[in-house]
Amino acid sequence: MLMAHPAVLRNLIEQHDALRILHAEDGSPEARRRMDDVAYTLCVSTGTRDIDAALVAARHQLPGARTEDDSLLTT
C-alpha cells in the first residue's frame, strides 16, 4: 500500500479539526462539504473506511508516534 507523506497527513488532520470547529460554530453546508472532502481524502490516504479510523491511522503515521502504543488493542 502506498503511504501518504507525513506532511500531507498532518495538513489533512489540521484541516479536518479546523473544519469540524467551523461546522460546529456556523453549521454551513459549505463547511460540511469541505469537511466531508477532507474526511474522504484522509480515508483514501490511510486505507480506512471511516473518519475515526482514518484519524487514528494518520496520527499513528506521523513522526514521533509511539510505535509501542497498544492502547487501540483489546485484551
Side-chain angles (χ1 to χ4, degrees), residues 7 11 15 34-35 37 42 46 58 60 66:
N11 181 276
Q15 283 186 56
R34 289 178 56 206
M35 192 169 69
D37 289 345
L42 267 167
T46 58
H60 187 71
R66 294 176 42 195

Side-chain angles (χ1 to χ4, degrees), residues 12-75:
L12 288 169
I13 292 169
E14 290 171 0
Q15 283 186 56
H16 185 269
D17 291 344
L19 288 166
R20 189 181 71 238
I21 292 167
L22 179 64
H23 179 67
E25 288 178 355
D26 73 1
S28 73
E30 181 184 346
R32 181 65 201 188
R33 275 192 303 274
R34 289 178 56 206
M35 192 169 69
D36 289 345
D37 289 345
V38 171
Y40 175 80
T41 304
L42 267 167
C43 288
V44 170
S45 298
T46 58
T48 57
R49 291 182 181 255
D50 67 78
I51 187 57
D52 294 325
L55 289 168
V56 169
R59 288 184 176 116
H60 187 71
Q61 293 177 34
L62 294 178
R66 294 176 42 195
T67 56
E68 290 85 27
D69 182 9
D70 63 354
S71 61
L72 299 177
L73 303 176
T74 59
T75 55

